[in-house]
Amino acid sequence: MKIKDIAFTGYSVTDIKRARKFYGEVLGLKETSVFEADGMAFVEYEIGSGTLSIGSGAENFKPGPNGGMVAFEVEDFEAAVAKLKAEKVKVLMDAMDTGACHMVIAADPDGNCFMIHKKK
């Protein structure tokens, strides 16, 4: 088997309406696909060459802080951090300068971790 690319990163959420508001209004992502059937709902956001998928209602897909993490590359790191603070988003790791990049780790309303990242 040869893996060519990452198809998408997925997060399970408990309240799809609240999650759509968070990812759309707080993080500013645009929905590119919506699927709803049989008590399940999935929304996709294409970001660069990758895709973030959020979903609810699938039996083996549960939210939590100990799962994976997506890192969002931003144009303006300081503005992104200011937006998180203004929206009272829970910050799990304060802004850090590694020498190669700037990063901050925060959580969505279900506790799923994500990173705001800016390469130097």
Side-chain angles (χ1 to χ4, degrees):
M1 177 186 328
K2 182 179 178 188
I3 306 296
K4 302 186 323 181
D5 203 350
I6 295 172
F8 68 91
T9 298
Y11 279 150
S12 175
V13 299
T14 57
D15 182 332
I16 196 74
K17 183 178 178 181
R18 177 183 69 182
R20 288 173 85 173
K21 182 175 180 165
F22 177 81
Y23 284 95
E25 293 179 19
V26 175
L27 297 186
L29 301 178
K30 294 185 78 156
E31 295 180 359
T32 54
S33 175
V34 177
F35 170 82
E36 296 175 301
D38 301 323
M40 294 185 289
F42 292 90
V43 179
E44 291 185 349
Y45 306 89
E46 290 182 18
I47 307 165
S49 65
T51 301
L52 171 67
S53 175
I54 61 170
S56 66
E59 183 177 332
N60 294 312
F61 193 46
K62 306 291 182 209
N66 298 318
M69 180 186 320
V70 63
F72 298 113
E73 187 70 17
V74 296
E75 288 182 359
D76 185 332
F77 183 77
E78 290 77 18
V81 171
K83 171 76 171 173
L84 295 179
K85 289 180 180 179
E87 295 287 344
K88 296 182 175 49
V89 174
K90 183 176 182 179
V91 173
L92 304 173
M93 183 189 85
D94 288 326
M96 173 180 190
D97 181 346
T98 70
C101 67
H102 294 277
M103 65 176 86
V104 64
I105 297 175
D108 75 6
D110 281 294
N112 295 306
C113 296
F114 65 92
M115 179 183 290
I116 298 298
H117 184 268
K118 175 69 176 165
K119 293 178 187 173
K120 286 190 172 182

